[in-house]
Amino acid sequence: MHYPFVQLDVFAARPGDGNPLAVVFDASSLDEAAMQAIARWTRLPETTFVLPPTTPEASYRLRIFSPRREVPFAGHPSIGSAHAVLDAGLATPRDGLLVQECAVGLLPIRVQGEGRERRLAVRAPRARVLETGRLDDPRLAPVLADLPLGSLPPVLMDGGRRWWLAELRDEASLRALSPPWAAIAALAADTEAMGLCVYARCAGGDHDLAVRAFVGQPAQVEDAASGAANATLAAWLHHAGALPHADGAYVVSQGREVGHDARLFLQVDAEGEVWSGGQVQTVVRGTLDW
């Protein structure tokens, strides 16, 4: 069988800056085992499969797979897939919005601009604080003991995916950090979390926060650009009354430490909903023979 296929760079103003994603179209004839096998074969952080919607409210349906399992929601696959669907002419925005049907329900995606300059933003699932961390917690102490922490406490948040969040003192400390991988992996396993996302406020420049996201399980890897982790962080900053700007909008720099230079655009709207987005670049167009 032949399936239209694209490979994208998400949260990137130019190819190579963001997080890679594979998108497979016309995937109705693929069963779950085949989707998982393709995602394992691409060896990318996620591979998505575009399907016809099951409800008239949706523009399209999406299934998202990491190399190991299906994922109910993730930010960069949602943003990248919306870009791919628009480029393929499979959906048209209504009042500036697409509606993505996925495992967590119907998610609106805001569309601004066209082509390489197009900016997309997904309204992330509502996140909530599960736990406020203590430095003497035996699960957290090995992770946080040597980190130059900022003013906000560490927290465990759930926004479709669970992340521990920790503010660091400044951007220089964040950039220079060598993550304690064994401790992060143990913390992720103990709390059923993705891992640790650290952030720092930035003075001047073209971004308001610098972010690094360390995935602790099932493998230890630093994420080049995570829409879901950043959406969860935005929800926490809103909850704590600590957003960088009064209008709720700010820019994140992520990925430099792993050879990328992603930019993510976050906004918390008047209803407290978090929108996470950025630009997408199409890098590969072709056909998947499977």
Side-chain angles (χ1 to χ4, degrees):
M1 295 288 292
H2 304 286
Y3 302 91
F5 172 91
V6 292
Q7 190 165 321
L8 310 171
D9 201 17
V10 184
F11 302 129
R14 59 185 180 185
D17 278 357
N19 208 355
L21 173 73
V23 181
V24 180
F25 297 99
D26 300 340
S28 296
S29 62
L30 293 168
D31 61 17
E32 184 172 321
M35 292 181 186
Q36 186 63 75
I38 291 169
R40 186 166 55 246
W41 175 78
T42 67
R43 305 181 79 175
L44 295 176
E46 277 95 13
T47 299
T48 66
F49 299 85
V50 180
L51 302 157
T54 64
T55 174
E57 291 84 7
S59 307
Y60 59 93
R61 183 161 70 98
L62 198 69
R63 294 186 71 175
I64 306 169
F65 287 79
S66 78
R68 291 177 173 83
R69 61 185 176 89
E70 187 168 8
V71 176
F73 168 75
H76 102 272
S78 297
I79 294 298
S81 298
H83 172 89
V85 165
L86 287 170
D87 273 4
L90 298 178
T92 302
R94 301 175 192 169
D95 299 323
L97 294 174
L98 294 175
V99 178
Q100 175 179 291
E101 180 185 355
C102 61
V104 297
L106 300 178
L107 298 178
I109 297 178
R110 191 164 54 205
V111 182
Q112 296 176 307
E114 296 289 340
R116 284 180 173 269
E117 301 304 316
R118 180 192 294 131
R119 189 181 294 176
L120 299 146
V122 60
R123 193 183 72 192
R126 282 266 184 172
R128 58 195 176 98
V129 178
L130 295 181
E131 184 179 345
T132 301
R134 303 187 320 274
L135 300 186
D136 61 351
D137 185 324
R139 302 167 304 165
L140 277 172
V143 175
L144 302 179
D146 296 324
L147 299 187
L149 296 174
S151 58
L152 292 179
V155 291
L156 177 61
M157 297 283 293
D158 191 334
R161 286 180 161 185
R162 291 185 180 185
W163 281 96
W164 279 97
L165 308 176
E167 183 180 19
L168 298 191
R169 182 178 57 214
D170 52 41
E171 183 175 6
S173 300
L174 179 137
R175 301 286 187 197
L177 175 64
S178 294
W181 282 114
I184 291 171
L187 176 65
D190 286 347
T191 57
E192 298 181 345
M194 291 292 295
L196 175 70
C197 177
V198 294
Y199 61 99
R201 299 176 187 275
C202 307
D206 62 354
H207 54 276
D208 302 293
L209 294 182
V211 169
R212 298 178 69 181
F214 305 118
V215 179
Q217 62 166 351
Q220 289 78 60
V221 63
E222 181 168 352
D223 202 329
S226 174
N230 274 287
T232 301
L233 171 58
W236 162 238
L237 294 176
H238 176 63
H239 175 84
L243 287 165
H245 301 295
D247 65 0
Y250 64 94
V251 182
V252 167
S253 167
Q254 188 177 355
R256 288 184 187 174
E257 293 72 27
V258 288
H260 301 260
D261 195 14
R263 289 293 183 278
L264 296 90
F265 295 82
L266 279 296
Q267 183 179 24
V268 182
D269 66 20
E271 287 73 43
E273 301 287 356
V274 175
W275 297 79
S276 175
Q279 293 173 247
V280 183
Q281 308 303 321
T282 303
V283 181
V284 177
R285 295 177 175 89
T287 303
L288 178 70
D289 298 342
W290 197 268

